[in-house]
Amino acid sequence: MNHEPSTAFFRVMEPIFERDFHEHSYGFRPGRSAQQAAGVVLNHLKAQRLVVDVDLKAFFDSIPHERLLDAVRRRVTDGRVLDLIGQFLQAGVMEGLQLTTPEAGTPQGCVISPLLTNIYLDDLDQQMANRGRMMVRYADDFVILCQHPEEATDALAEVQHWTAQAGLTLHPTKTRIVDLRQSAAWFDFLSSVRLPVQTP
């Protein structure tokens, strides 16, 4: 696939969306890093000892195209741009000798996929912030930090409701509430950053 159109789209569209993304979204954004995201999590764990550790099952393969385009339409009205994104999302994929057209998901490894990820999940970022949740996200990897068990339970329920409405699925065993007041409790954030936090 020719990536030149997607590169041009990224250069034009990133500044439009970037200025409104939530401050606790760190993935694939200028001047932000996984290390910064992990640092924010560690800092807040001094007071917030319950963690809603969320895993979105097959996220990049399951984003509904029309809902993603609806999220883009909130800021973009140019039909040519929307058509270009639609063509990008529905580009054929070779499976053996057969060419198939994906009905959901964004092609990984392409320059605009990370931006589309942030566009789609920004609604969840904003919703959690508006409800007073301390959520830190890097692309599709995120945690919500809580002080009380009831808060963690409510936050998980809110995420479950949002993902169901967004056409996404939570991993049934990897999504969990971690109580770091327990001595053996641990969780992973960003895969390579293991946090078996032992701070008092």
Side-chain angles (χ1 to χ4, degrees), residues 2-14:
N2 184 357
H3 296 306
E4 183 177 348
S6 61
T7 301
F9 167 81
F10 177 83
R11 290 174 178 171
V12 172
M13 302 309 297
E14 186 201 33

Side-chain angles (χ1 to χ4, degrees), residues 52-125:
V52 182
D53 187 11
V54 179
D55 186 282
L56 295 174
K57 186 176 180 180
F59 171 74
F60 291 100
D61 295 328
S62 58
I63 302 175
H65 288 172
E66 191 56 36
R67 291 177 182 173
L68 175 56
L69 288 171
D70 284 343
V72 175
R73 288 188 188 103
R74 295 173 192 171
R75 300 297 303 277
V76 176
T77 59
D78 189 325
R80 295 169 299 178
V81 173
L82 295 171
D83 287 344
L84 178 62
I85 300 172
Q87 293 171 19
F88 165 74
L89 292 174
Q90 296 179 348
V93 177
M94 290 299 299
E95 296 182 355
L97 298 177
Q98 185 175 2
L99 181 66
T100 62
T101 300
E103 297 180 358
T106 62
Q108 297 188 53
C110 294
V111 67
I112 73 170
S113 288
L115 176 60
L116 293 175
T117 295
N118 283 331
I119 291 172
Y120 199 63
L121 293 178
D122 184 65
D123 182 61
L124 178 62
D125 294 339

Side-chain angles (χ1 to χ4, degrees), residues 22 26 31 35 62 75 88-89 100 104 111 131 151 169 172 175 179 181 187 191:
H22 194 269
Y26 290 88
Q35 290 75 17
S62 58
R75 300 297 303 277
F88 165 74
L89 292 174
T100 62
V111 67
R131 295 183 178 182
E151 180 186 359
T169 303
T175 298
D179 187 347
R181 298 171 300 182
F187 70 101
S191 297

